[in-house]
Amino acid sequence: METPVAVRGNDETARALMRKHAMLTCEADTDGDGRLSFDEFVNSVPEHVRRMRSPEELKAWFGLIDTDGSGMVTMD
């Protein structure tokens, strides 16, 4: 699976890619509640990508997939 490296261009495409990455990585849901918190999401991003991106960029990525603004990502 490709790892997104930027949130530019078509927001819908970026949102779909980030949601796919987050939710296909079910092992990222470390507490098993069926939702991803920001911390779980960040931990699912490959380390080399985390090193290359600022916390603000990671927050922007998470914001694209947290479509309801709840601070959690669900399959719904």
Side-chain angles (χ1 to χ4, degrees), residues 18-30:
M18 293 303 301
R19 179 173 286 278
K20 179 179 176 182
H21 168 75
M23 296 314 291
L24 286 179
T25 311
C26 292
E27 62 270 12
D29 180 17
T30 56

Side-chain angles (χ1 to χ4, degrees), residues 11 30 50 58 64 71 76:
D11 280 351
T30 56
R50 291 192 310 257
L58 294 173
L64 287 173
D76 298 333

